Amino acid sequence: WREFSGELRRFIARRVARPEDVDDILQLVALRLSQNAADRDRRTLLAWLYTVTRNAITDHYRSAVHRREVATDDVPEPVEPTRDPLAAPGGDEE
């Protein structure tokens, strides 16, 4: 981990704006490494780490924090159509 963590941190930082998010993603990658990387040689470990890191970055951007949705209980009232100011006065539209 000591060998790869600095390189992974830079990889993440180029793709994520906030430093605290970089730390969170790097921590997630470290956790996944400790849970799943047994018996991998150095070459396959590095490829696996970058795959896990890319997936963690993708998950970060898919999280609810980054969505532009606003939860609300209020439903907006429908807007009443207005009369066209260029229409003939007093006449109905055909």
Side-chain angles (χ1 to χ4, degrees), residues 39-59:
D39 302 327
R40 294 183 189 267
D41 66 18
R42 185 181 188 284
R43 186 170 152 234
T44 61
L45 176 63
L46 186 58
W48 181 83
L49 278 171
Y50 274 98
T51 299
V52 168
T53 303
R54 279 190 294 275
N55 290 342
I57 292 168
T58 300
D59 292 346

Side-chain angles (χ1 to χ4, degrees), residues 22-71:
V22 172
D23 293 337
D24 290 345
I25 293 169
L26 188 62
Q27 184 177 18
L28 179 61
V29 172
L31 177 64
R32 290 180 182 169
L33 172 66
S34 70
Q35 294 173 338
N36 300 307
D39 302 327
R40 294 183 189 267
D41 66 18
R42 185 181 188 284
R43 186 170 152 234
T44 61
L45 176 63
L46 186 58
W48 181 83
L49 278 171
Y50 274 98
T51 299
V52 168
T53 303
R54 279 190 294 275
N55 290 342
I57 292 168
T58 300
D59 292 346
H60 168 75
Y61 281 112
R62 286 181 180 164
S63 70
V65 173
H66 295 282
R67 293 188 187 143
R68 300 273 182 213
E69 299 172 3
V70 176

Side-chain angles (χ1 to χ4, degrees), residues 73-87:
D73 291 334
D74 298 331
V75 177
E77 294 294 323
V79 177
E80 293 293 324
T82 59
R83 185 167 180 257
D84 183 359
L86 299 177

